[in-house]
Amino acid sequence: MRGEISGLKTLIMKDSSSAYYIHCFAHQLQLTLVAMSKKHLDVEDFFCHVTNVLNVIGVSFKRRDLLCHLQAEKLEQLLESGEIHTGRGLNQERGLQRSGNTRWGSHFKTLDNFIVIFSSIIRVLEVIEHEGSTSNERNQEKYLLSEIITFKFIFMLHLMLKVLAMSNELNKILQKRDQDIVNVVEFFIITKKRLQDMRETG
C-alpha cells in the first residue's frame, strides 16, 4: 500500500481481526533505515541538528520568506555570472521539506535541498542570531550555527545524502507496481554491493 487510501488497514482489521498486515517493501526499507540511523550516535545527532534547523526556520513566515528571498538573490547572481542556465524545469525553488520516518525518500529530499540552499540557511541563522527577540533565542541560534558549519556536520551531510541516494533509487524500484521480483532482488544486490564498497573504500 502507498498511503493512497487512508485508514485502509484499520477498516480491514475491523472487518476481519485475523487479517495480517505487511508493510510494502519500500516502507519496510524506509523504517529500517530510520531505525538503523538512530542506533548510531553521530547520525542521530546529525539528523537532530537538521530537524532543529527546519524547526527554527520553519517556525515563522518571516524566516521562511527571508530564506526564499536570499535564495532568489543567490539564484539571480548565479544566472548573471553564467554559472547556471535558465530552462524548463531548471532552478526550481527549493524549500526546507520536513522528513518523515514513513515518507519514502523524504530524508533524501530534505538533505538534497539542505545542500542546495545551505548558504541561505546560514544567512538566515545569522540574522536570527543578531536579531532574535530574546537572548535565549539568540544563544540557541548561535549554537546551532556553530554546529552546522563544522566539518563533522558537513561530512555527515554529504555522506548521508550519498547513502540515501542509493536507498532512494531502491525505494523507487520497490514502489513500482509492475516490477519483476527478480529485477528487484538484482537491484537490491547491486545497492548492497555499492554500499559495501563505499564502506570499505570510502
Side-chain angles (χ1 to χ4, degrees), residues 49-59 96-99 110:
H49 291 318
V50 170
T51 302
N52 287 340
V53 170
L54 295 174
N55 290 339
V56 164
I57 294 176
V59 76
L96 288 175
Q97 177 185 333
R98 290 185 184 277
S99 55
T110 298

Side-chain angles (χ1 to χ4, degrees), residues 142-197:
K142 186 177 182 179
Y143 168 75
L144 189 56
L145 189 58
S146 68
E147 285 294 314
I148 69 168
I149 59 172
T150 60
F151 174 80
K152 182 180 177 181
F153 181 87
I154 302 299
F155 176 80
M156 288 298 293
L157 179 58
H158 286 275
L159 175 67
M160 291 311 299
L161 183 69
K162 196 171 182 180
V163 169
L164 291 172
M166 291 181 205
S167 67
N168 193 49
E169 287 176 37
L170 184 57
N171 252 333
K172 286 178 181 176
I173 285 173
L174 289 172
Q175 289 178 56
K176 288 184 180 176
R177 294 181 185 196
D178 58 345
Q179 189 58 258
D180 182 357
I181 191 70
V182 176
N183 291 337
V184 171
V185 170
E186 193 174 317
F187 198 83
F188 181 80
I189 291 166
I190 291 167
T191 304
K192 185 180 172 186
K193 187 179 184 310
R194 286 169 68 193
L195 288 167
Q196 189 64 38
D197 289 346

